[in-house]
Amino acid sequence: MARRVALVCLGNICRSPMADVVLEHQLAQAGIDDVEVSSSGTGDWHVGQPMDERAAATLTAAGYDATRHRARTFTPDWFDEQDLILVMDASNHSDVLALATSDEQRAKVRMYRSFDPEADAPDAEVPDPWYGGPEGFDEVLAMVERTTREIVRHLSDDS
């Protein structure tokens, strides 16, 4: 049975789709084929749209395929469909937990950077690059790649 990992940010056009693409890529490179990856946002204003052009350009420049993404919204049924829900910041964390109806559901939710060996516990957020320039997307990609390596290690230990 496949394990399922969801990545969640605000609009599902920058951080979580970048993490989705990188996680799928690194899982394939590691030969892990029993993990399904998806992403969503806590807001619904971008549903159906591709990822932000700057996010896609950053991924493409780094050799990733950023073409398949379409934004979706996190809904309560995701708790039943996912084994691990990784959120990008404290606001996303609060929004997702507010939809949980049980301790079992709440236990599935973690901060994405809780896997990042360089994250300090008080600063475990992936900053939203949407309001800034290209350097913010480069910073997010570096965080995502570093954190994803640890997530893949965690998932390979669980198999």
Side-chain angles (χ1 to χ4, degrees), residues 34-104:
D34 68 337
V35 177
E36 295 174 8
V37 182
S38 58
S39 67
S40 64
T42 57
D44 64 0
W45 49 92
H46 295 294
V47 169
Q49 295 178 8
M51 77 174 72
D52 180 275
E53 291 177 3
R54 298 163 298 172
T58 301
L59 286 170
T60 300
Y64 296 102
D65 177 7
T67 61
R68 296 173 296 159
H69 176 76
R70 292 294 174 263
R72 299 187 296 172
T73 303
F74 186 90
T75 56
D77 59 319
W78 281 57
F79 287 110
D80 294 330
E81 298 168 3
Q82 307 298 325
D83 299 303
L84 179 61
I85 300 167
L86 300 173
V87 297
M88 298 294 155
D89 65 32
S91 177
N92 306 143
H93 192 260
S94 294
D95 290 343
V96 169
L97 287 180
L99 297 173
T101 58
S102 69
D103 288 342
E104 180 182 345

